[in-house]
Amino acid sequence: MTDAGTGSGDAGENTKVYIHEFIDIIGHNRANYMHHMTANWSPIAQRERNQLCYGVWGTVGTTRRWPEVVNMWEEDGWDGLARSFRHEFNHPTLQDPALAAWWARAAQFRRSGIDRVLIPAPWTRTIDQLNADGVRGETYAHEMIQVRPGTAWDYVELLRHEAIPVHERFGWELAGAWVTSMRNDSEVFTLWAIPTWENWAEWEKAQHRDPEVVKWRSRAADIAIDWERFLLVDAPLSPFRIGRQPAESDRDSYKLPDE
């Protein structure tokens, strides 16, 4: 297991920014949408926008709204995101005309989405570093933490120094920590890679029993107003699962309806 503050993640400060998306899926189309985003979209994004797929997951509906997909995209910093926005929005339709067919297809699978731009903790590993380190989970805990305005980065440092050792006792590995941009430093996201479902269950059982877990919850409550933890599972072509970026050659691994 690689500590979030050591290993390849220390190769340099993470200067990327991340697009985070909650996607509302229509009916039984979650598998169709996940393939459309990974095999059909990600290779285009890499080639035309230098945008990497960080991860695509299905939410575990028992722990959150369903059916739902979470997407995360790794942009080449703020300048890279600005270039991507120009590529997309400098058209009368506010869409890249070359992607009209792609957008029409995606609209068959999802209704809408709620997006954020996230700023990584400087020590958070990029997706290439995470893949090189072999980080993956049978499931993932995704946390959305509301904190007092202006304290988001304080919470991130508390997380690094106090939460990681406690979670590691249960086999959890911190894949990433981010602060939501374009608001008042009041929201933090985390992603924990969990080796097995049993590792997740042991953590949940420890919430009010294990002294170190109770201590962490108390310390977090000094800053956090509220938090929500829910579970994710990798899409078949998510980089955490396959250890690389999706490629055009992956398109044949799954056929969308009517193809």
Side-chain angles (χ1 to χ4, degrees), residues 80-142:
L81 185 57
R83 288 190 294 270
S84 183
F85 282 168
R86 175 177 293 110
H87 190 92
E88 183 66 41
F89 291 103
N90 281 21
H91 305 282
T93 60
L94 304 187
Q95 290 181 349
D96 181 354
L99 294 175
W102 184 92
W103 278 104
R105 190 62 162 161
Q108 298 176 28
F109 305 140
R110 54 101 179 101
R111 290 185 183 88
S112 62
I114 299 175
D115 290 14
R116 294 164 168 81
V117 179
L118 303 183
I119 306 169
W123 40 266
T124 283
R125 287 170 283 180
T126 66
I127 188 58
D128 284 345
Q129 291 169 336
L130 289 161
N131 285 162
D133 288 346
V135 177
R136 64 171 299 175
E138 187 173 18
T139 186
Y140 302 81
H142 203 22

Side-chain angles (χ1 to χ4, degrees), residues 74-255:
E74 187 175 272
E75 300 282 348
D76 193 16
W78 288 106
D79 292 336
L81 185 57
R83 288 190 294 270
S84 183
F85 282 168
R86 175 177 293 110
H87 190 92
E88 183 66 41
F89 291 103
N90 281 21
H91 305 282
T93 60
L94 304 187
Q95 290 181 349
D96 181 354
L99 294 175
W102 184 92
W103 278 104
R105 190 62 162 161
Q108 298 176 28
F109 305 140
R110 54 101 179 101
R111 290 185 183 88
S112 62
I114 299 175
D115 290 14
R116 294 164 168 81
V117 179
L118 303 183
I119 306 169
W123 40 266
T124 283
R125 287 170 283 180
T126 66
I127 188 58
D128 284 345
Q129 291 169 336
L130 289 161
N131 285 162
D133 288 346
V135 177
R136 64 171 299 175
E138 187 173 18
T139 186
Y140 302 81
H142 203 22
E143 293 176 316
M144 185 164 53
I145 304 110
Q146 307 301 320
V147 300
R148 296 194 312 274
T151 64
W153 292 107
D154 295 332
Y155 185 90
V156 166
E157 283 307 296
L158 188 69
L159 182 78
R160 183 186 192 187
H161 295 292
E162 300 192 29
I164 289 174
V166 178
H167 286 71
E168 284 182 340
R169 288 182 46 229
F170 294 84
W172 291 35
E173 181 169 5
L174 186 63
W178 303 267
V179 171
T180 303
S181 69
M182 302 172 69
R183 62 191 303 167
N184 58 345
D185 286 350
S186 60
E187 186 175 74
V188 175
F189 276 78
T190 66
L191 181 72
W192 300 89
I194 307 173
T196 69
W197 293 104
E198 288 76 16
N199 290 114
W200 163 72
E202 289 302 314
W203 172 259
E204 298 300 341
K205 287 189 290 185
Q207 292 303 294
H208 300 286
R209 299 178 182 177
D210 186 287
E212 291 187 27
V213 175
V214 172
K215 180 181 178 181
W216 160 244
R217 286 170 57 91
S218 177
R219 289 286 289 127
D222 290 340
I223 299 177
I225 297 170
D226 195 12
W227 60 86
E228 175 187 2
R229 178 170 59 253
F230 51 96
L231 298 178
L232 306 175
V233 175
D234 280 315
L237 293 174
S238 181
F240 280 91
R241 182 181 293 274
I242 63 177
R244 58 172 172 81
Q245 288 295 299
E248 290 184 4
S249 60
D250 293 316
R251 291 175 180 172
D252 291 338
S253 66
Y254 176 88
K255 290 295 185 182

